Amino acid sequence: MTRVRLASVLLGAGFGFLLSWGQFIDPDRIRDMLLLRDSYMWLMFASAVAVGFVGLRLLRRARARALLTGEPVSWTVARPERRHVTGAAIFGVGWAVSDVCPGPVAAQLGQGIWWSVPLFAGIALGIVMALRRQEQPARERKPLAALPASNPD
């Protein structure tokens, strides 16, 4: 097993453990968060974003390098595109319908929770569809035909 794969497995297992421990895999907890009945998960999300925001900027300022690849810690900022909004909407609808997002589904599978199997199948189907769409060549757009001039007579 390569160094990158080993690190991926260890980080994935650790992330799954933390999701379970933090109750992020409990559909009742997720539903209460989405219905704004419980602030626990929102506060956890906010603290994770704050730590990541500050931590990445400190790493970039210190000119740190990634542990596995040795590349400098950096990022680029891109303007949101239509595909981002569409993807976010699909993700949000799926999250609202199933009461779970992809990370917790993996943790639920790891715990042997049987009802996570159809959710995982839906995630896998969505990934396959997205990959197939990326492989298709971009549709050629035909220019609009010029409208005939109107005749006032």
Side-chain angles (χ1 to χ4, degrees):
M1 185 178 280
T2 67
R3 200 171 83 168
V4 173
R5 287 192 180 175
L6 179 62
S8 298
V9 168
L10 292 175
L11 286 171
F15 184 64
F17 172 78
L18 291 174
L19 283 174
S20 298
W21 186 41
Q23 300 175 356
F24 279 70
I25 67 166
D26 182 6
D28 294 326
R29 178 70 87 164
I30 295 168
R31 188 178 313 105
D32 286 345
M33 175 202 65
L34 293 173
L35 293 174
L36 303 176
R37 291 183 195 154
D38 188 3
S39 64
Y40 169 76
M41 291 181 77
W42 292 115
L43 293 172
M44 293 292 280
F45 289 151
S47 64
V49 168
V51 168
F53 181 86
V54 172
L56 282 173
R57 277 153 181 76
L58 290 174
L59 287 171
R60 186 173 66 174
R61 182 179 294 168
R63 301 181 195 268
R65 295 191 166 273
L67 296 176
L68 294 176
T69 62
E71 295 177 15
V73 173
S74 65
W75 60 88
T76 59
V77 178
R79 293 182 59 82
E81 297 174 11
R82 183 174 152 194
R83 63 189 177 100
H84 300 133
V85 175
T86 303
I90 292 169
F91 181 86
V93 168
W95 195 7
V97 168
S98 66
D99 285 335
V100 72
C101 69
V105 170
Q108 290 169 347
L109 282 173
Q111 287 187 351
I113 298 173
W114 67 271
W115 46 260
S116 62
V117 173
L119 298 175
F120 183 76
I123 292 167
L125 178 65
I127 291 170
V128 168
M129 290 172 58
L131 291 174
R132 284 190 179 166
R133 181 174 167 88
Q134 285 178 352
E135 291 172 358
Q136 292 176 352
R139 295 180 188 152
E140 293 181 21
R141 294 185 180 181
K142 297 178 185 176
L144 295 174
L147 296 175
S150 61
N151 187 355
D153 292 332

Coordinates of all heavy atoms in Angstrom, one line a residue, residues 67-120:
L67 N 2.1 17.4 3.7 CA 2.9 16.3 4.2 C 3.2 15.2 3.2 O 4.2 14.6 3.2 CB 2.2 15.7 5.5 CG 2.1 16.7 6.7 CD1 1.3 16.0 7.8 CD2 3.5 17.1 7.2
L68 N 2.2 14.9 2.4 CA 2.3 13.7 1.5 C 2.9 14.1 0.2 O 3.7 13.3 -0.4 CB 0.9 13.1 1.3 CG 0.3 12.4 2.5 CD1 -1.1 11.9 2.2 CD2 1.2 11.3 3.0
T69 N 2.6 15.3 -0.4 CA 3.1 15.6 -1.7 C 4.2 16.6 -1.7 O 4.9 16.7 -2.7 CB 1.9 16.2 -2.5 OG1 1.5 17.4 -1.9 CG2 0.8 15.3 -2.7
G70 N 4.4 17.3 -0.6 CA 5.4 18.3 -0.6 C 5.1 19.6 -1.3 O 5.9 20.5 -1.3
E71 N 3.9 19.8 -1.8 CA 3.5 21.0 -2.5 C 3.2 22.1 -1.5 O 2.7 21.8 -0.4 CB 2.3 20.7 -3.4 CG 2.5 19.7 -4.5 CD 1.3 19.5 -5.3 OE1 0.3 20.2 -5.1 OE2 1.3 18.5 -6.0
P72 N 3.4 23.3 -1.9 CA 3.1 24.4 -0.9 C 1.6 24.5 -0.7 O 0.8 24.2 -1.6 CB 3.5 25.7 -1.7 CG 4.3 25.2 -2.8 CD 4.0 23.8 -3.1
V73 N 1.2 24.8 0.5 CA -0.2 25.0 0.9 C -0.7 26.3 0.2 O -0.2 27.3 0.5 CB -0.4 25.1 2.4 CG1 -1.9 25.4 2.7 CG2 0.0 23.8 3.1
S74 N -1.6 26.1 -0.8 CA -2.2 27.2 -1.5 C -3.6 26.9 -2.0 O -4.0 25.7 -2.0 CB -1.3 27.7 -2.6 OG -1.2 26.6 -3.6
W75 N -4.2 27.8 -2.6 CA -5.5 27.6 -3.2 C -5.8 28.8 -4.2 O -5.2 29.8 -4.1 CB -6.7 27.5 -2.2 CG -6.8 28.7 -1.3 CD1 -7.6 29.8 -1.6 CD2 -6.2 29.0 -0.1 NE1 -7.4 30.7 -0.6 CE2 -6.6 30.2 0.4 CE3 -5.3 28.3 0.7 CZ2 -6.2 30.8 1.6 CZ3 -4.9 28.8 1.9 CH2 -5.3 30.1 2.3
T76 N -6.8 28.5 -5.0 CA -7.3 29.6 -5.9 C -8.7 29.8 -5.6 O -9.4 29.0 -5.2 CB -7.1 29.2 -7.4 OG1 -7.8 28.0 -7.6 CG2 -5.6 28.9 -7.7
V77 N -9.2 31.0 -6.0 CA -10.6 31.4 -5.8 C -11.2 31.5 -7.1 O -10.7 32.2 -8.0 CB -10.7 32.7 -5.0 CG1 -12.1 33.1 -4.8 CG2 -10.0 32.6 -3.6
A78 N -12.3 30.8 -7.3 CA -13.0 30.8 -8.6 C -14.4 31.4 -8.3 O -15.0 31.1 -7.3 CB -13.1 29.4 -9.2
R79 N -15.0 32.0 -9.3 CA -16.3 32.5 -9.2 C -17.3 31.4 -9.3 O -17.1 30.5 -10.1 CB -16.6 33.5 -10.3 CG -15.8 34.8 -10.2 CD -16.1 35.8 -11.3 NE -17.5 36.2 -11.3 CZ -18.1 37.1 -10.6 NH1 -17.4 37.8 -9.7 NH2 -19.4 37.4 -10.7
P80 N -18.4 31.4 -8.5 CA -19.3 30.3 -8.7 C -20.0 30.2 -10.1 O -20.2 31.3 -10.7 CB -20.4 30.6 -7.6 CG -19.7 31.6 -6.7 CD -18.7 32.3 -7.5
E81 N -20.2 29.0 -10.6 CA -20.8 28.9 -11.9 C -22.1 28.2 -11.7 O -22.5 27.7 -10.6 CB -19.8 28.0 -12.7 CG -18.5 28.6 -13.0 CD -17.6 27.7 -13.8 OE1 -18.0 26.6 -14.3 OE2 -16.4 28.0 -13.8
R82 N -22.9 28.1 -12.8 CA -24.2 27.5 -12.8 C -24.1 26.0 -12.2 O -25.0 25.6 -11.5 CB -24.8 27.5 -14.2 CG -26.2 27.0 -14.2 CD -26.7 27.2 -15.6 NE -27.7 26.2 -15.9 CZ -28.2 25.9 -17.1 NH1 -27.8 26.6 -18.1 NH2 -29.0 24.9 -17.2
R83 N -23.1 25.3 -12.7 CA -22.9 23.9 -12.2 C -22.8 23.8 -10.7 O -23.2 22.8 -10.1 CB -21.8 23.2 -13.0 CG -20.4 23.8 -12.7 CD -19.4 23.3 -13.6 NE -18.1 23.9 -13.4 CZ -17.1 23.4 -12.6 NH1 -17.3 22.2 -12.1 NH2 -16.0 24.1 -12.5
H84 N -22.1 24.8 -10.1 CA -22.0 24.8 -8.6 C -23.3 24.9 -8.0 O -23.6 24.2 -7.0 CB -21.0 25.9 -8.2 CG -19.6 25.8 -8.8 ND1 -19.0 26.8 -9.3 CD2 -18.8 24.7 -8.9 CE1 -17.8 26.4 -9.7 NE2 -17.7 25.1 -9.5
V85 N -24.1 25.9 -8.4 CA -25.4 26.1 -7.9 C -26.3 24.9 -8.1 O -27.0 24.4 -7.1 CB -26.1 27.4 -8.5 CG1 -27.5 27.6 -8.0 CG2 -25.2 28.6 -8.2
T86 N -26.3 24.3 -9.3 CA -27.1 23.1 -9.5 C -26.7 22.0 -8.6 O -27.5 21.3 -8.0 CB -26.9 22.7 -11.0 OG1 -27.3 23.8 -11.8 CG2 -27.8 21.5 -11.3
G87 N -25.4 21.7 -8.5 CA -24.9 20.7 -7.7 C -25.2 20.9 -6.2 O -25.6 19.9 -5.5
A88 N -25.2 22.1 -5.7 CA -25.5 22.4 -4.4 C -27.0 22.2 -4.1 O -27.4 21.6 -3.1 CB -25.2 23.9 -4.0
A89 N -27.8 22.5 -5.1 CA -29.3 22.3 -5.0 C -29.6 20.8 -4.9 O -30.4 20.3 -4.1 CB -30.0 22.9 -6.1
I90 N -28.9 20.0 -5.8 CA -29.2 18.6 -5.8 C -28.7 18.0 -4.5 O -29.4 17.1 -3.9 CB -28.4 17.9 -7.0 CG1 -29.1 18.3 -8.3 CG2 -28.4 16.4 -6.9 CD1 -28.3 17.9 -9.5
F91 N -27.5 18.4 -4.0 CA -27.0 17.9 -2.7 C -28.0 18.3 -1.6 O -28.3 17.4 -0.8 CB -25.6 18.6 -2.5 CG -25.0 18.1 -1.2 CD1 -24.2 17.0 -1.1 CD2 -25.1 18.9 0.0 CE1 -23.6 16.6 0.0 CE2 -24.5 18.5 1.2 CZ -23.8 17.3 1.2
G92 N -28.5 19.5 -1.6 CA -29.4 19.9 -0.5 C -30.7 19.1 -0.5 O -31.2 18.7 0.5
V93 N -31.2 18.9 -1.7 CA -32.5 18.1 -1.8 C -32.2 16.7 -1.3 O -33.0 16.1 -0.5 CB -33.0 18.1 -3.2 CG1 -34.1 17.1 -3.4 CG2 -33.5 19.5 -3.6
G94 N -31.1 16.1 -1.7 CA -30.8 14.7 -1.3 C -30.6 14.7 0.2 O -31.0 13.7 0.9
W95 N -30.0 15.7 0.8 CA -29.7 15.7 2.2 C -31.1 15.9 2.9 O -31.3 15.2 4.0 CB -28.8 16.9 2.5 CG -28.2 16.9 3.9 CD1 -28.3 15.9 4.8 CD2 -27.4 18.0 4.4 NE1 -27.6 16.3 5.9 CE2 -27.0 17.6 5.7 CE3 -27.0 19.2 4.0 CZ2 -26.3 18.4 6.6 CZ3 -26.3 20.0 4.8 CH2 -25.9 19.6 6.1
A96 N -31.9 16.7 2.4 CA -33.2 16.9 3.1 C -34.1 15.7 3.0 O -34.8 15.3 4.0 CB -33.9 18.1 2.5
V97 N -34.1 15.0 1.9 CA -34.9 13.8 1.7 C -34.4 12.6 2.6 O -35.2 11.9 3.2 CB -35.0 13.4 0.2 CG1 -35.6 12.0 0.1 CG2 -35.8 14.5 -0.5
S98 N -33.1 12.4 2.6 CA -32.5 11.3 3.3 C -32.1 11.5 4.7 O -31.8 10.6 5.4 CB -31.3 10.8 2.5 OG -30.3 11.7 2.5
D99 N -32.1 12.8 5.1 CA -31.6 13.1 6.5 C -30.1 12.8 6.7 O -29.7 12.5 7.8 CB -32.4 12.5 7.6 CG -33.8 13.2 7.7 OD1 -33.9 14.3 7.4 OD2 -34.7 12.5 8.2
V100 N -29.3 12.7 5.6 CA -27.9 12.4 5.8 C -27.1 12.8 4.6 O -27.7 12.9 3.5 CB -27.7 10.9 6.1 CG1 -28.0 10.0 4.9 CG2 -26.4 10.6 6.7
C101 N -25.9 13.2 4.7 CA -25.0 13.5 3.6 C -24.0 12.4 3.4 O -23.9 11.5 4.2 CB -24.4 14.9 3.8 SG -23.2 15.1 5.1
P102 N -23.2 12.5 2.4 CA -22.3 11.3 2.0 C -21.3 10.9 3.1 O -21.1 9.7 3.3 CB -21.5 11.8 0.8 CG -22.4 12.8 0.2 CD -23.1 13.5 1.3
G103 N -20.7 11.8 3.9 CA -19.8 11.4 4.9 C -20.4 10.5 6.0 O -19.9 9.4 6.3
P104 N -21.5 10.9 6.6 CA -22.2 10.0 7.5 C -22.7 8.7 7.0 O -22.7 7.7 7.7 CB -23.4 10.8 8.0 CG -22.9 12.2 7.9 CD -22.1 12.2 6.6
V105 N -23.0 8.6 5.7 CA -23.4 7.4 5.1 C -22.3 6.3 5.1 O -22.5 5.2 5.5 CB -23.9 7.5 3.6 CG1 -24.1 6.2 2.9 CG2 -25.2 8.3 3.6
A106 N -21.1 6.8 4.8 CA -19.9 5.9 4.9 C -19.7 5.4 6.4 O -19.4 4.2 6.6 CB -18.7 6.6 4.4
A107 N -19.9 6.3 7.3 CA -19.8 5.9 8.7 C -20.9 5.0 9.1 O -20.6 4.0 9.9 CB -19.8 7.2 9.6
Q108 N -22.1 5.2 8.6 CA -23.2 4.3 8.9 C -22.9 2.9 8.4 O -23.2 1.9 9.0 CB -24.5 4.8 8.4 CG -25.0 6.1 9.1 CD -26.1 6.8 8.4 OE1 -26.4 6.5 7.2 NE2 -26.8 7.7 9.1
L109 N -22.4 2.8 7.1 CA -22.0 1.5 6.6 C -21.0 0.8 7.4 O -21.1 -0.4 7.6 CB -21.5 1.7 5.1 CG -22.5 2.0 4.0 CD1 -21.8 2.3 2.7 CD2 -23.4 0.8 3.9
G110 N -20.0 1.6 7.9 CA -19.0 1.1 8.7 C -19.5 0.5 10.0 O -18.9 -0.4 10.6
Q111 N -20.6 1.0 10.5 CA -21.2 0.6 11.7 C -22.2 -0.6 11.5 O -22.8 -1.1 12.4 CB -22.0 1.7 12.5 CG -21.0 2.7 13.1 CD -21.8 3.7 14.0 OE1 -23.0 3.7 13.9 NE2 -21.0 4.5 14.7
G112 N -22.5 -0.9 10.2 CA -23.4 -1.9 9.9 C -24.9 -1.5 9.9 O -25.7 -2.4 10.1
I113 N -25.1 -0.3 9.8 CA -26.5 0.2 9.8 C -27.1 -0.1 8.4 O -26.7 0.5 7.4 CB -26.6 1.7 10.1 CG1 -26.0 1.9 11.5 CG2 -28.0 2.2 10.0 CD1 -25.9 3.4 11.9
W114 N -28.1 -1.0 8.3 CA -28.6 -1.6 7.1 C -29.3 -0.6 6.2 O -29.2 -0.6 5.0 CB -29.5 -2.8 7.3 CG -30.8 -2.4 8.0 CD1 -31.0 -2.3 9.4 CD2 -32.0 -2.0 7.4 NE1 -32.3 -1.9 9.6 CE2 -32.9 -1.7 8.4 CE3 -32.4 -1.8 6.1 CZ2 -34.2 -1.2 8.2 CZ3 -33.7 -1.4 5.8 CH2 -34.5 -1.1 6.9
W115 N -30.0 0.4 6.8 CA -30.8 1.3 6.0 C -29.9 2.3 5.3 O -30.4 3.1 4.5 CB -31.9 2.0 6.7 CG -31.5 2.5 8.1 CD1 -31.8 2.0 9.3 CD2 -30.9 3.8 8.4 NE1 -31.3 2.7 10.3 CE2 -30.7 3.9 9.8 CE3 -30.3 4.8 7.6 CZ2 -30.1 4.9 10.4 CZ3 -29.7 5.9 8.2 CH2 -29.6 5.9 9.6
S116 N -28.6 2.3 5.5 CA -27.7 3.2 4.8 C -27.3 2.6 3.4 O -26.7 3.4 2.6 CB -26.4 3.5 5.6 OG -25.7 2.3 5.9
V117 N -27.6 1.4 3.2 CA -27.2 0.7 1.9 C -27.9 1.4 0.7 O -27.3 1.8 -0.3 CB -27.5 -0.8 1.9 CG1 -27.3 -1.4 0.5 CG2 -26.6 -1.4 2.9
P118 N -29.3 1.6 0.7 CA -29.9 2.3 -0.4 C -29.4 3.8 -0.6 O -29.2 4.3 -1.7 CB -31.4 2.3 -0.1 CG -31.5 1.7 1.2 CD -30.3 1.2 1.7
L119 N -29.0 4.4 0.5 CA -28.5 5.8 0.5 C -27.1 5.8 -0.2 O -26.8 6.6 -1.1 CB -28.4 6.4 1.9 CG -29.6 6.6 2.6 CD1 -29.3 7.1 4.0 CD2 -30.6 7.5 1.9
F120 N -26.3 4.8 0.1 CA -25.0 4.6 -0.5 C -25.2 4.3 -2.0 O -24.4 4.9 -2.8 CB -24.2 3.5 0.2 CG -22.8 3.4 -0.4 CD1 -21.8 4.3 -0.1 CD2 -22.5 2.4 -1.3 CE1 -20.6 4.2 -0.6 CE2 -21.3 2.2 -1.8 CZ -20.3 3.1 -1.5

